[in-house]
């Protein structure tokens, strides 16, 4: 295990335009940290800098207090699992997993033991004599992970390892990677654009956008207390509903309706008059549950039955929001009805700065 520290890390390829803007992250021993964000946000570049595959323009990267900026990859005591597996097609699975140990000139008995231990952990011990071409995508990814495990590194780096797999296999491998972390207790830095992977795998999530870390916290903090509009809209499936709202005459308005917030919730909103109001789909209801529930009038636009639940799109004035409702909800589109939600579940953001209020 290892403690990884990123101190004001900057990356620029031309000396003028920055790809990464002063990244600061502290990753404790044994943590599973996921870097998540859209394509082009800089997450893979940051991971490659930790691995030593990209140079650091400014700032420092430390592992257990040792600055590693100038160390070659082989001396950093890290192991990386790539998106495309990077297996040698002419070598057996055993030799693929043993390759790094042979380069280190480890004793044959050590190689045999480590490869067999990793193969049993990943349930691929019966495949060790096969070549990569004879395997499924999920099996190849297990071999790539096994090759990293046998090295017994301080830090594991994963660069979108599941993106080439189909949806069902991604779910299975996601569970296996989480179990693996629980067994090994290793420090893991994992890159993905898939927010479901981030939420299910991580102890801590760094949400990245435009070369910045917009928010760093636990999955619960990221989901329930987003600090920026980008985080609120990016994390969650379906995403958080974000609606234009305004303060007028001491009241909160969404289009032509007053949202009757209690005074305690209105007080922090006295600054900006142009707001974004956020509400998670699971916090919308079509029946009053408590006397404190806020009520608005809405019209049903679309129903999406998913078996275990129904996603319903409603229109409030000229704005739409999605509600996660019971599987038997079946009112037809065009029906007017009341929507209810608890004021404590509402999130508010300054429409100009995008920051939480």
């Amino acid at each position: 295990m290892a403690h990884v520290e990123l101190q004001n890390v900057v990356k620029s390829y031309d000396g003028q335009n920055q790809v990464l803007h002063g990244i600061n992250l502290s990753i404790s021993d044994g943590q599973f940290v996921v870097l998540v964000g859209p394509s082009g946000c800089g997450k893979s570049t940051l991971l490659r800098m930790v691995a030593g595959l990209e140079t650091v323009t400014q700032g420092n990267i430390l592992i257990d207090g040792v600055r590693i900026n100038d160390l070659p990859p082989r001396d950093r005591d890290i192991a990386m699992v790539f998106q495309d597996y990077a297996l040698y097609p002419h070598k057996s699975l055993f030799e693929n997993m043993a390759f790094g140990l042979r380069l280190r000139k480890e004793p044959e008995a050590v190689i045999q033991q480590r490869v067999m231990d990793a193969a049993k952990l990943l349930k691929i011990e019966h495949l060790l004599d096969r070549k990569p071409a004879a395997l499924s995508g999920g099996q190849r990814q297990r071999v790539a992970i096994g090759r990293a495990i046998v090295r017994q590194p301080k830090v594991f780096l994963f660069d979108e390892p599941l993106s080439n797999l189909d949806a069902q296999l991604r779910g299975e491998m996601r569970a296996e990677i989480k179990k693996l972390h629980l067994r090994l207790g290793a420090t893991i830095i994992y890159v993905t654009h898939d927010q479901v992977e981030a939420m299910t795998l991580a102890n801590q999530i760094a949400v990245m956008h435009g070369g910045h870390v917009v928010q760093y916290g636990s999955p619960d903090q990221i989901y329930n207390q987003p600090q920026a509009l980008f985080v609120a809209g990016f994390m969650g499936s379906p995403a958080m509903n974000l609606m234009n709202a305004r303060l007028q005459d001491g009241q909160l308005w969404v289009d032509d309706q007053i949202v009757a917030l209690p005074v305690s919730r209105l007080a922090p909103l006295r600054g900006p008059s142009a707001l974004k109001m956020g509400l998670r789909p699971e916090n919308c209801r079509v029946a009053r549950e408590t006397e404190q529930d806020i009520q608005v009038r809405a019209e049903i636009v679309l129903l999406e039955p998913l078996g275990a639940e129904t996603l319903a799109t409603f229109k409030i004035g000229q704005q739409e929001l999605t509600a996660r409702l019971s599987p038997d909800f079946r009112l037809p589109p065009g029906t007017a009805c009341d929507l209810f939600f608890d004021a404590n579940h509402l999130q508010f953001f300054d429409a100009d700065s995008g920051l939480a209020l």
Side-chain angles (χ1 to χ4, degrees), residues 32 145 162 173-181 190 201:
F32 196 131
I145 294 170
L162 309 184
M173 284 302 299
R174 196 166 62 227
E176 289 301 319
I177 290 172
K178 186 156 190 172
K179 290 176 187 174
L180 190 64
H181 178 248
Y190 186 108
L201 288 173

Side-chain angles (χ1 to χ4, degrees), residues 179-343:
K179 290 176 187 174
L180 190 64
H181 178 248
L182 293 173
R183 291 170 189 157
L184 297 177
T187 303
I188 295 177
I189 307 175
Y190 186 108
V191 162
T192 182
H193 63 273
D194 186 333
Q195 49 87 24
V196 174
E197 279 182 36
M199 290 293 297
T200 55
L201 288 173
N203 301 131
Q204 295 284 109
I205 297 174
V207 183
M208 297 188 64
H209 182 51
H212 297 271
V213 173
V214 185
Q215 187 172 351
Y216 184 49
S218 69
D220 182 65
Q221 290 170 330
I222 296 292
Y223 189 79
N224 292 310
Q225 301 165 37
Q227 297 302 300
L229 271 172
F230 175 79
V231 178
F234 186 78
M235 301 301 291
S237 181
M240 177 181 281
N241 297 297
L242 295 169
M243 308 185 71
N244 295 321
R246 68 186 188 279
L247 286 175
Q248 182 177 323
D249 300 327
Q251 299 282 357
L252 180 71
W253 291 74
V254 173
D255 274 31
D256 59 351
Q257 293 196 54
I258 292 176
V259 178
L261 285 184
V263 175
S264 60
R265 292 307 314 273
L266 275 173
L269 309 182
R270 295 301 183 188
S273 58
L275 304 168
K276 287 283 188 179
M277 184 179 80
L279 182 65
R280 291 287 181 193
E282 59 270 25
N283 293 324
C284 299
R285 303 187 287 269
V286 290
R288 186 185 296 274
E289 290 189 0
T290 71
E291 288 298 319
Q292 289 73 41
D293 278 357
I294 294 169
Q295 176 180 336
V296 295
R297 196 66 177 164
E299 178 184 315
I300 299 172
V301 176
L302 178 70
L303 295 184
E304 298 175 84
L306 299 176
E309 63 187 10
T310 295
L311 297 182
T313 302
F314 292 87
K315 182 180 284 188
I316 299 176
Q318 297 303 309
Q319 302 188 71
E320 293 186 350
L321 83 162
T322 299
R324 194 191 301 271
L325 303 175
S326 64
D328 57 354
F329 182 81
R330 287 296 183 272
L331 289 180
T335 304
C337 63
D338 293 325
L339 278 180
F340 298 91
F341 41 84
D342 186 333

Side-chain angles (χ1 to χ4, degrees), residues 65-118:
V66 177
R67 184 177 181 271
I68 62 168
N69 290 38
D70 303 317
L71 288 180
R74 66 177 179 273
D75 295 333
R76 296 191 177 201
D77 203 6
I78 55 94
M80 191 162 180
V81 179
F82 296 91
Q83 177 180 344
D84 59 359
Y85 319 135
L87 301 178
Y88 295 103
H90 60 289
K91 293 181 180 290
S92 68
L93 303 194
F94 183 95
E95 289 303 324
N96 264 284
M97 292 172 66
F99 185 74
L101 299 179
R102 295 202 190 284
L103 286 180
R104 292 183 179 182
K105 302 187 184 304
E106 295 282 359
E108 188 61 31
V110 172
I111 293 173
Q112 290 283 338
Q113 186 64 50
R114 288 196 191 175
V115 171
M116 289 306 301
D117 287 347

Side-chain angles (χ1 to χ4, degrees), residues 30 64 132 295 345:
D64 284 341
Q295 176 180 336
H345 289 140

Side-chain angles (χ1 to χ4, degrees), residues 1-6 27 46-54 61-64 66-69 71-82 100-101 103-104 114 144-159 186-189:
M1 294 190 295
H3 176 218
V4 181
E5 192 82 23
L6 280 70
I27 301 170
L46 185 59
L47 192 78
R48 290 171 64 83
M49 291 167 75
V50 177
L53 304 177
E54 296 274 4
I61 300 176
L62 298 90
I63 297 180
D64 284 341
V66 177
R67 184 177 181 271
I68 62 168
N69 290 38
L71 288 180
R74 66 177 179 273
D75 295 333
R76 296 191 177 201
D77 203 6
I78 55 94
M80 191 162 180
V81 179
F82 296 91
L101 299 179
L103 286 180
R104 292 183 179 182
R114 288 196 191 175
I145 294 170
R147 183 177 54 192
I149 290 173
V150 299
R151 296 182 57 188
Q152 298 181 351
K154 284 187 175 181
V155 183
F156 288 88
L157 308 178
F158 288 79
D159 190 8
T187 303
I188 295 177
I189 307 175

